[in-house]
mmCIF file of all heavy atoms in Angstrom:
data_model
loop_
_atom_site.group_PDB
_atom_site.id
_atom_site.type_symbol
_atom_site.label_atom_id
_atom_site.label_comp_id
_atom_site.label_asym_id
_atom_site.label_seq_id
_atom_site.Cartn_x
_atom_site.Cartn_y
_atom_site.Cartn_z
ATOM 1 N N PRO A 1 -85.411 -99.285 -95.895
ATOM 2 C CA PRO A 1 -85.234 -100.574 -95.222
ATOM 3 C C PRO A 1 -85.548 -101.772 -96.122
ATOM 4 O O PRO A 1 -84.970 -102.850 -95.939
ATOM 5 C CB PRO A 1 -86.222 -100.491 -94.047
ATOM 6 C CG PRO A 1 -86.337 -99.031 -93.759
ATOM 7 C CD PRO A 1 -86.256 -98.358 -95.107
ATOM 8 N N SER A 2 -86.430 -101.593 -97.085
ATOM 9 C CA SER A 2 -86.782 -102.696 -97.979
ATOM 10 C C SER A 2 -85.649 -103.061 -98.936
ATOM 11 O O SER A 2 -85.774 -104.020 -99.702
ATOM 12 C CB SER A 2 -88.038 -102.344 -98.788
ATOM 13 O OG SER A 2 -87.819 -101.187 -99.588
ATOM 14 N N ARG A 3 -84.544 -102.304 -98.900
ATOM 15 C CA ARG A 3 -83.385 -102.596 -99.747
ATOM 16 C C ARG A 3 -82.212 -103.162 -98.946
ATOM 17 O O ARG A 3 -81.153 -103.403 -99.510
ATOM 18 C CB ARG A 3 -82.908 -101.306 -100.443
ATOM 19 C CG ARG A 3 -83.924 -100.662 -101.373
ATOM 20 C CD ARG A 3 -84.097 -101.470 -102.646
ATOM 21 N NE ARG A 3 -84.943 -100.773 -103.593
ATOM 22 C CZ ARG A 3 -86.254 -100.926 -103.692
ATOM 23 N NH1 ARG A 3 -86.879 -101.751 -102.858
ATOM 24 N NH2 ARG A 3 -86.955 -100.266 -104.592
ATOM 25 N N ARG A 4 -82.408 -103.387 -97.634
ATOM 26 C CA ARG A 4 -81.280 -103.711 -96.766
ATOM 27 C C ARG A 4 -81.229 -105.193 -96.400
ATOM 28 O O ARG A 4 -82.166 -105.738 -95.817
ATOM 29 C CB ARG A 4 -81.350 -102.881 -95.481
ATOM 30 C CG ARG A 4 -81.280 -101.384 -95.709
ATOM 31 C CD ARG A 4 -81.536 -100.643 -94.406
ATOM 32 N NE ARG A 4 -81.738 -99.211 -94.626
ATOM 33 C CZ ARG A 4 -82.321 -98.408 -93.762
ATOM 34 N NH1 ARG A 4 -82.758 -98.885 -92.600
ATOM 35 N NH2 ARG A 4 -82.469 -97.126 -94.040
ATOM 36 N N TRP A 5 -80.127 -105.832 -96.732
ATOM 37 C CA TRP A 5 -79.808 -107.187 -96.294
ATOM 38 C C TRP A 5 -79.502 -107.152 -94.801
ATOM 39 O O TRP A 5 -79.068 -106.127 -94.277
ATOM 40 C CB TRP A 5 -78.617 -107.676 -97.088
ATOM 41 C CG TRP A 5 -78.384 -109.152 -97.133
ATOM 42 C CD1 TRP A 5 -79.318 -110.135 -97.244
ATOM 43 C CD2 TRP A 5 -77.105 -109.804 -97.114
ATOM 44 N NE1 TRP A 5 -78.710 -111.358 -97.313
ATOM 45 C CE2 TRP A 5 -77.352 -111.183 -97.225
ATOM 46 C CE3 TRP A 5 -75.787 -109.347 -97.026
ATOM 47 C CZ2 TRP A 5 -76.318 -112.125 -97.240
ATOM 48 C CZ3 TRP A 5 -74.769 -110.267 -97.047
ATOM 49 C CH2 TRP A 5 -75.024 -111.646 -97.148
ATOM 50 N N GLN A 6 -79.685 -108.278 -94.132
ATOM 51 C CA GLN A 6 -79.561 -108.281 -92.672
ATOM 52 C C GLN A 6 -78.127 -108.013 -92.207
ATOM 53 O O GLN A 6 -77.160 -108.530 -92.773
ATOM 54 C CB GLN A 6 -80.014 -109.628 -92.105
ATOM 55 C CG GLN A 6 -81.481 -109.924 -92.306
ATOM 56 C CD GLN A 6 -81.728 -110.855 -93.471
ATOM 57 O OE1 GLN A 6 -81.032 -110.773 -94.485
ATOM 58 N NE2 GLN A 6 -82.704 -111.738 -93.327
ATOM 59 N N PRO A 7 -77.966 -107.210 -91.128
ATOM 60 C CA PRO A 7 -76.628 -106.924 -90.588
ATOM 61 C C PRO A 7 -75.852 -108.168 -90.192
ATOM 62 O O PRO A 7 -74.635 -108.236 -90.379
ATOM 63 C CB PRO A 7 -76.920 -106.041 -89.367
ATOM 64 C CG PRO A 7 -78.229 -105.398 -89.676
ATOM 65 C CD PRO A 7 -79.017 -106.418 -90.441
ATOM 66 N N GLU A 8 -76.532 -109.165 -89.630
ATOM 67 C CA GLU A 8 -75.817 -110.375 -89.206
ATOM 68 C C GLU A 8 -75.206 -111.127 -90.390
ATOM 69 O O GLU A 8 -74.172 -111.789 -90.261
ATOM 70 C CB GLU A 8 -76.734 -111.301 -88.398
ATOM 71 C CG GLU A 8 -77.968 -111.801 -89.131
ATOM 72 C CD GLU A 8 -79.187 -110.913 -88.941
ATOM 73 O OE1 GLU A 8 -79.014 -109.688 -88.741
ATOM 74 O OE2 GLU A 8 -80.306 -111.455 -88.986
ATOM 75 N N LYS A 9 -75.837 -110.983 -91.578
ATOM 76 C CA LYS A 9 -75.285 -111.646 -92.760
ATOM 77 C C LYS A 9 -74.090 -110.867 -93.307
ATOM 78 O O LYS A 9 -73.106 -111.469 -93.748
ATOM 79 C CB LYS A 9 -76.377 -111.825 -93.803
ATOM 80 C CG LYS A 9 -77.444 -112.816 -93.368
ATOM 81 C CD LYS A 9 -78.476 -113.062 -94.454
ATOM 82 C CE LYS A 9 -79.487 -114.104 -94.013
ATOM 83 N NZ LYS A 9 -80.509 -114.362 -95.054
ATOM 84 N N PHE A 10 -74.178 -109.533 -93.283
ATOM 85 C CA PHE A 10 -72.990 -108.747 -93.624
ATOM 86 C C PHE A 10 -71.838 -109.125 -92.691
ATOM 87 O O PHE A 10 -70.682 -109.227 -93.118
ATOM 88 C CB PHE A 10 -73.283 -107.250 -93.515
ATOM 89 C CG PHE A 10 -73.793 -106.624 -94.774
ATOM 90 C CD1 PHE A 10 -75.136 -106.305 -94.925
ATOM 91 C CD2 PHE A 10 -72.935 -106.330 -95.830
ATOM 92 C CE1 PHE A 10 -75.602 -105.718 -96.084
ATOM 93 C CE2 PHE A 10 -73.396 -105.739 -97.001
ATOM 94 C CZ PHE A 10 -74.738 -105.435 -97.127
ATOM 95 N N ALA A 11 -72.147 -109.320 -91.411
ATOM 96 C CA ALA A 11 -71.114 -109.663 -90.432
ATOM 97 C C ALA A 11 -70.474 -111.007 -90.749
ATOM 98 O O ALA A 11 -69.245 -111.159 -90.663
ATOM 99 C CB ALA A 11 -71.717 -109.676 -89.031
ATOM 100 N N GLN A 12 -71.275 -112.002 -91.116
ATOM 101 C CA GLN A 12 -70.716 -113.306 -91.458
ATOM 102 C C GLN A 12 -69.784 -113.207 -92.655
ATOM 103 O O GLN A 12 -68.709 -113.819 -92.676
ATOM 104 C CB GLN A 12 -71.851 -114.294 -91.761
ATOM 105 C CG GLN A 12 -72.659 -114.701 -90.556
ATOM 106 C CD GLN A 12 -73.770 -115.669 -90.939
ATOM 107 O OE1 GLN A 12 -73.531 -116.713 -91.562
ATOM 108 N NE2 GLN A 12 -74.995 -115.321 -90.592
ATOM 109 N N VAL A 13 -70.194 -112.436 -93.656
ATOM 110 C CA VAL A 13 -69.351 -112.248 -94.837
ATOM 111 C C VAL A 13 -68.052 -111.551 -94.460
ATOM 112 O O VAL A 13 -66.956 -111.958 -94.872
ATOM 113 C CB VAL A 13 -70.118 -111.446 -95.915
ATOM 114 C CG1 VAL A 13 -69.187 -111.043 -97.053
ATOM 115 C CG2 VAL A 13 -71.288 -112.263 -96.454
ATOM 116 N N ALA A 14 -68.161 -110.495 -93.661
ATOM 117 C CA ALA A 14 -66.970 -109.753 -93.252
ATOM 118 C C ALA A 14 -66.005 -110.642 -92.474
ATOM 119 O O ALA A 14 -64.779 -110.581 -92.684
ATOM 120 C CB ALA A 14 -67.378 -108.548 -92.418
ATOM 121 N N ASP A 15 -66.522 -111.466 -91.587
ATOM 122 C CA ASP A 15 -65.648 -112.349 -90.802
ATOM 123 C C ASP A 15 -64.917 -113.349 -91.698
ATOM 124 O O ASP A 15 -63.725 -113.612 -91.502
ATOM 125 C CB ASP A 15 -66.467 -113.097 -89.749
ATOM 126 C CG ASP A 15 -66.771 -112.250 -88.519
ATOM 127 O OD1 ASP A 15 -66.036 -111.265 -88.281
ATOM 128 O OD2 ASP A 15 -67.733 -112.569 -87.802
ATOM 129 N N GLU A 16 -65.607 -113.917 -92.667
ATOM 130 C CA GLU A 16 -64.951 -114.866 -93.568
ATOM 131 C C GLU A 16 -63.867 -114.183 -94.392
ATOM 132 O O GLU A 16 -62.791 -114.746 -94.616
ATOM 133 C CB GLU A 16 -65.987 -115.525 -94.485
ATOM 134 C CG GLU A 16 -66.913 -116.502 -93.793
ATOM 135 C CD GLU A 16 -66.191 -117.772 -93.361
ATOM 136 O OE1 GLU A 16 -65.074 -118.021 -93.838
ATOM 137 O OE2 GLU A 16 -66.751 -118.512 -92.533
ATOM 138 N N LEU A 17 -64.146 -112.981 -94.831
ATOM 139 C CA LEU A 17 -63.139 -112.241 -95.595
ATOM 140 C C LEU A 17 -61.925 -111.929 -94.718
ATOM 141 O O LEU A 17 -60.775 -112.042 -95.161
ATOM 142 C CB LEU A 17 -63.742 -110.940 -96.131
ATOM 143 C CG LEU A 17 -64.770 -111.085 -97.241
ATOM 144 C CD1 LEU A 17 -65.519 -109.778 -97.445
ATOM 145 C CD2 LEU A 17 -64.107 -111.522 -98.542
ATOM 146 N N ALA A 18 -62.175 -111.542 -93.474
ATOM 147 C CA ALA A 18 -61.072 -111.238 -92.556
ATOM 148 C C ALA A 18 -60.235 -112.482 -92.293
ATOM 149 O O ALA A 18 -59.001 -112.413 -92.245
ATOM 150 C CB ALA A 18 -61.625 -110.666 -91.253
ATOM 151 N N ARG A 19 -60.885 -113.630 -92.133
ATOM 152 C CA ARG A 19 -60.137 -114.868 -91.904
ATOM 153 C C ARG A 19 -59.310 -115.254 -93.123
ATOM 154 O O ARG A 19 -58.308 -115.962 -92.993
ATOM 155 C CB ARG A 19 -61.108 -115.989 -91.540
ATOM 156 C CG ARG A 19 -61.803 -115.788 -90.191
ATOM 157 C CD ARG A 19 -62.658 -116.962 -89.811
ATOM 158 N NE ARG A 19 -63.442 -116.669 -88.611
ATOM 159 C CZ ARG A 19 -64.742 -116.487 -88.589
ATOM 160 N NH1 ARG A 19 -65.448 -116.569 -89.711
ATOM 161 N NH2 ARG A 19 -65.367 -116.214 -87.461
ATOM 162 N N ALA A 20 -59.725 -114.797 -94.287
ATOM 163 C CA ALA A 20 -58.973 -115.072 -95.513
ATOM 164 C C ALA A 20 -57.830 -114.083 -95.708
ATOM 165 O O ALA A 20 -57.093 -114.185 -96.685
ATOM 166 C CB ALA A 20 -59.910 -115.021 -96.716
ATOM 167 N N GLY A 21 -57.679 -113.137 -94.783
ATOM 168 C CA GLY A 21 -56.551 -112.224 -94.858
ATOM 169 C C GLY A 21 -56.861 -110.849 -95.379
ATOM 170 O O GLY A 21 -55.960 -110.014 -95.512
ATOM 171 N N TRP A 22 -58.127 -110.557 -95.665
ATOM 172 C CA TRP A 22 -58.502 -109.240 -96.176
ATOM 173 C C TRP A 22 -58.856 -108.331 -95.015
ATOM 174 O O TRP A 22 -59.537 -108.741 -94.082
ATOM 175 C CB TRP A 22 -59.698 -109.363 -97.116
ATOM 176 C CG TRP A 22 -59.449 -110.225 -98.313
ATOM 177 C CD1 TRP A 22 -59.711 -111.556 -98.426
ATOM 178 C CD2 TRP A 22 -58.883 -109.815 -99.546
ATOM 179 N NE1 TRP A 22 -59.338 -112.003 -99.664
ATOM 180 C CE2 TRP A 22 -58.822 -110.952 -100.382
ATOM 181 C CE3 TRP A 22 -58.413 -108.593 -100.039
ATOM 182 C CZ2 TRP A 22 -58.312 -110.919 -101.668
ATOM 183 C CZ3 TRP A 22 -57.910 -108.553 -101.335
ATOM 184 C CH2 TRP A 22 -57.859 -109.696 -102.131
ATOM 185 N N ARG A 23 -58.418 -107.080 -95.074
ATOM 186 C CA ARG A 23 -58.932 -106.081 -94.145
ATOM 187 C C ARG A 23 -60.372 -105.776 -94.543
ATOM 188 O O ARG A 23 -60.698 -105.717 -95.729
ATOM 189 C CB ARG A 23 -58.102 -104.794 -94.201
ATOM 190 C CG ARG A 23 -56.673 -104.926 -93.742
ATOM 191 C CD ARG A 23 -56.552 -105.361 -92.290
ATOM 192 N NE ARG A 23 -57.205 -104.482 -91.348
ATOM 193 C CZ ARG A 23 -56.630 -103.411 -90.784
ATOM 194 N NH1 ARG A 23 -55.389 -103.083 -91.099
ATOM 195 N NH2 ARG A 23 -57.280 -102.677 -89.906
ATOM 196 N N THR A 24 -61.220 -105.552 -93.573
ATOM 197 C CA THR A 24 -62.615 -105.215 -93.853
ATOM 198 C C THR A 24 -62.895 -103.801 -93.369
ATOM 199 O O THR A 24 -62.464 -103.397 -92.284
ATOM 200 C CB THR A 24 -63.578 -106.204 -93.175
ATOM 201 O OG1 THR A 24 -63.322 -106.230 -91.768
ATOM 202 C CG2 THR A 24 -63.398 -107.595 -93.768
ATOM 203 N N VAL A 25 -63.609 -103.045 -94.188
ATOM 204 C CA VAL A 25 -63.911 -101.642 -93.907
ATOM 205 C C VAL A 25 -65.421 -101.454 -94.022
ATOM 206 O O VAL A 25 -66.015 -101.775 -95.059
ATOM 207 C CB VAL A 25 -63.188 -100.714 -94.898
ATOM 208 C CG1 VAL A 25 -63.516 -99.254 -94.579
ATOM 209 C CG2 VAL A 25 -61.682 -100.948 -94.883
ATOM 210 N N LEU A 26 -66.028 -100.930 -92.968
ATOM 211 C CA LEU A 26 -67.462 -100.623 -92.996
ATOM 212 C C LEU A 26 -67.650 -99.171 -93.407
ATOM 213 O O LEU A 26 -66.976 -98.274 -92.892
ATOM 214 C CB LEU A 26 -68.090 -100.851 -91.627
ATOM 215 C CG LEU A 26 -68.072 -102.283 -91.087
ATOM 216 C CD1 LEU A 26 -68.703 -102.331 -89.699
ATOM 217 C CD2 LEU A 26 -68.785 -103.230 -92.027
ATOM 218 N N THR A 27 -68.575 -98.940 -94.334
ATOM 219 C CA THR A 27 -68.869 -97.585 -94.780
ATOM 220 C C THR A 27 -70.349 -97.293 -94.607
ATOM 221 O O THR A 27 -71.182 -98.197 -94.573
ATOM 222 C CB THR A 27 -68.476 -97.370 -96.258
ATOM 223 O OG1 THR A 27 -69.300 -98.199 -97.089
ATOM 224 C CG2 THR A 27 -67.017 -97.722 -96.497
ATOM 225 N N GLY A 28 -70.655 -96.011 -94.515
ATOM 226 C CA GLY A 28 -72.045 -95.595 -94.388
ATOM 227 C C GLY A 28 -72.100 -94.113 -94.056
ATOM 228 O O GLY A 28 -71.098 -93.501 -93.685
ATOM 229 N N THR A 29 -73.271 -93.540 -94.181
ATOM 230 C CA THR A 29 -73.471 -92.143 -93.804
ATOM 231 C C THR A 29 -73.629 -92.045 -92.298
ATOM 232 O O THR A 29 -73.817 -93.053 -91.597
ATOM 233 C CB THR A 29 -74.725 -91.579 -94.483
ATOM 234 O OG1 THR A 29 -75.880 -92.275 -93.967
ATOM 235 C CG2 THR A 29 -74.673 -91.761 -96.004
ATOM 236 N N ALA A 30 -73.573 -90.807 -91.803
ATOM 237 C CA ALA A 30 -73.750 -90.602 -90.361
ATOM 238 C C ALA A 30 -75.097 -91.145 -89.891
ATOM 239 O O ALA A 30 -75.208 -91.664 -88.780
ATOM 240 C CB ALA A 30 -73.624 -89.120 -90.024
ATOM 241 N N GLY A 31 -76.111 -91.064 -90.738
ATOM 242 C CA GLY A 31 -77.430 -91.566 -90.388
ATOM 243 C C GLY A 31 -77.540 -93.074 -90.400
ATOM 244 O O GLY A 31 -78.587 -93.622 -90.027
ATOM 245 N N GLU A 32 -76.467 -93.761 -90.815
ATOM 246 C CA GLU A 32 -76.485 -95.226 -90.870
ATOM 247 C C GLU A 32 -75.627 -95.859 -89.782
ATOM 248 O O GLU A 32 -75.288 -97.040 -89.850
ATOM 249 C CB GLU A 32 -76.022 -95.688 -92.256
ATOM 250 C CG GLU A 32 -77.001 -95.319 -93.357
ATOM 251 C CD GLU A 32 -76.480 -95.570 -94.775
ATOM 252 O OE1 GLU A 32 -75.241 -95.549 -94.977
ATOM 253 O OE2 GLU A 32 -77.314 -95.771 -95.663
ATOM 254 N N ARG A 33 -75.279 -95.068 -88.751
ATOM 255 C CA ARG A 33 -74.424 -95.587 -87.682
ATOM 256 C C ARG A 33 -75.047 -96.791 -86.989
ATOM 257 O O ARG A 33 -74.343 -97.720 -86.589
ATOM 258 C CB ARG A 33 -74.135 -94.500 -86.660
ATOM 259 C CG ARG A 33 -73.228 -93.385 -87.163
ATOM 260 C CD ARG A 33 -72.863 -92.441 -86.030
ATOM 261 N NE ARG A 33 -72.228 -91.234 -86.510
ATOM 262 C CZ ARG A 33 -70.947 -91.125 -86.850
ATOM 263 N NH1 ARG A 33 -70.176 -92.196 -86.765
ATOM 264 N NH2 ARG A 33 -70.444 -89.982 -87.263
ATOM 265 N N ASP A 34 -76.367 -96.778 -86.824
ATOM 266 C CA ASP A 34 -77.014 -97.913 -86.156
ATOM 267 C C ASP A 34 -76.831 -99.188 -86.972
ATOM 268 O O ASP A 34 -76.659 -100.281 -86.405
ATOM 269 C CB ASP A 34 -78.500 -97.631 -85.946
ATOM 270 C CG ASP A 34 -78.757 -96.591 -84.857
ATOM 271 O OD1 ASP A 34 -77.818 -96.265 -84.123
ATOM 272 O OD2 ASP A 34 -79.908 -96.106 -84.776
ATOM 273 N N LEU A 35 -76.876 -99.062 -88.289
ATOM 274 C CA LEU A 35 -76.712 -100.237 -89.138
ATOM 275 C C LEU A 35 -75.303 -100.807 -89.043
ATOM 276 O O LEU A 35 -75.117 -102.017 -88.861
ATOM 277 C CB LEU A 35 -77.013 -99.875 -90.599
ATOM 278 C CG LEU A 35 -78.473 -99.845 -91.018
ATOM 279 C CD1 LEU A 35 -78.593 -99.284 -92.433
ATOM 280 C CD2 LEU A 35 -79.060 -101.257 -90.974
ATOM 281 N N THR A 36 -74.306 -99.944 -89.188
ATOM 282 C CA THR A 36 -72.936 -100.450 -89.132
ATOM 283 C C THR A 36 -72.593 -100.935 -87.723
ATOM 284 O O THR A 36 -71.837 -101.897 -87.555
ATOM 285 C CB THR A 36 -71.929 -99.384 -89.593
ATOM 286 O OG1 THR A 36 -72.157 -98.168 -88.876
ATOM 287 C CG2 THR A 36 -72.069 -99.125 -91.076
#
């Protein structure tokens, strides 16, 4: 957890990228489902 940037900030970045026309893909292990 001490290496993880906040989910809401990842979300803001993803939304801006999507508005710019990029598809956004979330990745993670099965144990990271809560994070994604």
